[in-house]
Amino acid sequence: MEAIRAPRGTRDVLGDESWKWAHVLKVCREVACDFGYSEALLPIFEHTELFSRGIGDTTDVVEKEMYTFTDRGDRSITLRPELTASMVRSYLEHDMRRLPQPVKLWGWGPMFRYERPQKGRYRQFQQVDFEILGASSALADIETIDTSMELYRRLGISNLQVLINSVGCPNCRPAYRAALKTFMESRLGEFCDTCQSRFERNPLRVLDCKKPGCRELSESAPLVVDSLCGECREHFDVVTSGLSEIGAEVRVDNRLVRGLDYYTKTAYEILAGELGSQNAVCGGGRYDNLAEAIGGPHVPGVGFASGIERIVLTMEGQGAHPGEAPRTDVYVVTASPDSHMAAASLLHEIRVSGISADMDYMNRAVKAQMKHASSIGAGLVCIIGDEETSSGTVGIKDMTSGVQESAPREEVLARLAAWRESRGTGR
Ligand code: AMP
């Protein structure tokens, strides 16, 4: 029988890489704390309608990429493809409008999209997500970009390119939509089937089509920035000038549209050269009509999501180190079969005192235990055999200097603590 493998587009995060992930999440948590976001732990599956109405049912994500199934209660359920719609759903469901505004939430976890897997693009991937709900001010847009850039800075990532655009609002979009339709109409047959089918329902999606032919055609399409209403233009001007005020280097890209329908006004992407073709480490923007689209009142919002796999790939590409993974401090070596229980009890005491420790469960010989201690990077080895048990002592070997001495059993914990203190490895 063939061994079962993980499904296409999923990955196991193990060993050193999982340490990097833990580091990324730790820094996210610190940034969230410093910028005033509270953590929201939301369900991994939601009613399909949340995404079809929120993200838009003519988007690639909803039309082609969702993991949707009918559950045993005959409900249509979808594994979340992103977090923003769930954040807004949660804000509405818990009536967070009664709290002081804005409400700032952050979260993280797996997202699911049925995409063609390649480097940096998976079917199950993890995002960290930061949202400011209830604020329509352009200052909130600036803050989300500042937050993401600070996150990358603390992770040791640099050389990022921030692309920003305004995608307008329901006031100015009808005029733009009409201009785009006029442009498309004369060459409709040259667009791909999906774009043709979206021509009536949602022509703006054409700008997001990845097919080379459609990309080339839309190169000469009218720009949304030329149709912005006064309010959107002013908002955009405040965001761009505010960003230069805080020293963020951004480039206005009038062709940037995001793959999700809910964006209004600000849309941005942050690119990292190290990522290759899937070069977006972060995507974000404003979504003032999302709450209404999913059946709530008007709640303006702005935020971003960043893929953890791509953050880690960028860190690796730039040689940004998350520091050493924690190692086991002490290894307890059993030098005779009769000293197993004494060793286990010492091991327990060491761990309870807050020092990491381990011992052998494989019946290895003393020499092999020492070798194993060295292979796991233990700094000290405690040796217990018949001799030590009868004299009430423990052998302590410093694995760096090779020096071994004998200590009274009751002094062992204090010695270990002093050793760790001197190494500065306290956690
Ligand atoms: P989006 O939700 O599409 O705006 O994407 C936000 C960020 O999530 C992107 O910039 C990527 O860092 C990450 N991301 C999106 N889709 C994937 C995927 N299929 N695999 C890995 N990361 C992804």
Side-chain angles (χ1 to χ4, degrees):
M1 200 169 51
E2 212 177 299
I4 297 167
R5 300 174 66 91
R8 188 166 139 78
T10 67
R11 344 181 19 253
D12 300 332
V13 177
L14 305 166
D16 257 8
E17 193 186 354
S18 67
W19 163 244
K20 288 178 191 160
W21 281 54
H23 175 72
V24 170
L25 282 171
K26 179 174 144 274
V27 174
C28 286
R29 200 161 264 127
E30 287 165 6
V31 169
C33 206
D34 292 346
F35 283 71
Y37 291 77
S38 77
E39 186 166 354
L41 304 163
L42 305 184
I44 283 172
F45 61 84
E46 298 266 10
H47 291 293
T48 302
E49 237 187 324
L50 174 68
F51 305 115
S52 55
R53 278 165 46 186
I55 298 174
D57 53 16
T58 51
T59 56
D60 273 1
V61 170
V62 172
E63 270 193 337
K64 303 179 184 167
E65 297 169 2
M66 292 205 307
Y67 281 86
T68 297
F69 60 96
T70 306
D71 76 1
R72 286 168 195 270
D74 227 17
R75 301 170 197 93
S76 180
I77 293 293
T78 293
L79 301 184
R80 62 183 182 193
E82 57 106 54
L83 209 45
T84 309
S86 300
M87 289 287 204
V88 176
R89 195 257 318 130
S90 180
Y91 175 97
L92 297 174
E93 191 163 337
H94 298 278
D95 196 15
M96 294 190 209
R97 278 206 308 170
R98 67 192 156 70
L99 303 176
Q101 302 296 301
V103 171
K104 294 162 75 171
L105 301 175
W106 86 282
W108 62 277
M111 311 295 150
F112 304 85
R113 293 183 196 172
Y114 194 82
E115 294 194 90
R116 200 169 44 77
Q118 63 182 88
K119 182 189 165 197
R121 185 165 71 192
Y122 312 100
R123 291 182 174 170
Q124 175 176 329
F125 58 98
Q126 305 260 343
Q127 280 183 341
V128 290
D129 185 81
F130 285 69
E131 310 288 355
I132 303 182
L133 295 157
S136 55
S137 163
L139 294 177
D141 306 39
I142 297 168
E143 180 182 298
T144 63
I145 296 179
D146 190 33
T147 309
S148 60
M149 293 307 281
E150 177 59 10
L151 171 64
Y152 302 131
R153 193 191 65 77
R154 290 191 195 185
L155 288 169
I157 297 175
S158 54
N159 275 330
L160 298 174
Q161 196 177 24
V162 185
L163 302 181
I164 191 166
N165 193 18
S166 174
V167 294
C169 73
N171 288 334
C172 43
R173 215 169 275 160
Y176 179 61
R177 197 183 142 103
L180 193 60
K181 280 184 81 173
T182 310
F183 161 80
M184 281 181 73
E185 213 150 24
S186 58
R187 307 182 69 174
L188 195 57
E190 296 172 53
F191 284 90
C192 73
D193 290 349
T194 312
C195 284
Q196 290 190 32
S197 75
R198 288 171 179 171
F199 173 70
E200 281 301 338
R201 292 180 298 156
N202 192 352
L204 266 72
R205 290 268 60 89
V206 168
L207 303 172
D208 192 43
C209 183
K210 306 284 182 294
K211 301 221 172 66
C214 298
R215 279 200 156 180
E216 209 179 301
L217 285 167
S218 55
E219 279 287 298
S220 43
L223 297 172
V224 64
V225 73
D226 295 327
S227 306
L228 293 183
C229 61
E231 190 189 315
C232 285
R233 162 128 321 272
E234 196 191 321
H235 189 95
F236 193 46
D237 289 345
V238 176
V239 173
T240 46
S241 58
L243 285 169
S244 64
E245 191 86 5
I246 60 167
E249 272 182 45
V250 299
R251 189 160 70 77
V252 173
D253 176 358
N254 289 136
R255 304 227 158 255
L256 176 76
V257 286
R258 312 275 348 279
L260 316 166
D261 267 356
Y262 52 59
Y263 286 113
T264 49
K265 295 181 176 161
T266 313
Y268 59 88
E269 230 164 47
I270 304 180
L271 310 181
E274 290 74 16
L275 289 174
S277 68
Q278 298 303 309
N279 60 353
V281 72
C282 175
R286 176 163 283 285
Y287 45 84
D288 290 346
N289 303 309
L290 176 53
E292 283 161 290
I294 60 170
H298 180 74
V299 179
V302 59
F304 70 86
S306 185
I308 300 184
E309 291 83 356
R310 294 192 195 175
I311 292 177
V312 170
L313 281 170
T314 309
M315 286 173 67
E316 287 171 350
Q318 297 193 357
H321 289 293
E324 285 290 299
R327 290 185 192 281
T328 304
D329 287 326
V330 177
Y331 197 77
V332 180
V333 165
T334 324
S336 73
D338 290 342
S339 51
H340 273 138
M341 283 322 294
S345 132
L346 176 64
L347 174 71
H348 176 77
E349 279 179 43
I350 297 173
R351 286 171 168 169
V352 169
S353 79
I355 295 175
S356 63
D358 223 331
M359 71 178 274
D360 174 60
Y361 295 140
M362 307 303 289
N363 269 329
R364 290 183 179 93
V366 172
K367 210 168 154 193
Q369 289 182 56
M370 294 300 288
K371 207 169 149 198
H372 184 67
S374 151
S375 77
I376 62 167
L380 281 190
V381 164
C382 288
I383 304 152
I384 297 196
D386 291 341
E387 204 184 305
E388 285 80 11
T389 310
S390 60
S391 63
T393 60
V394 171
I396 301 179
K397 179 170 181 179
D398 186 313
M399 297 296 274
T400 316
S401 64
V403 174
Q404 185 171 333
E405 54 191 19
S406 175
R409 174 71 171 78
E410 59 278 9
E411 282 179 21
V412 172
L413 289 186
R415 292 238 193 154
L416 299 187
W419 165 81
R420 215 185 55 176
E421 191 71 34
S422 71
R423 291 212 328 173
T425 53
R427 277 169 293 163

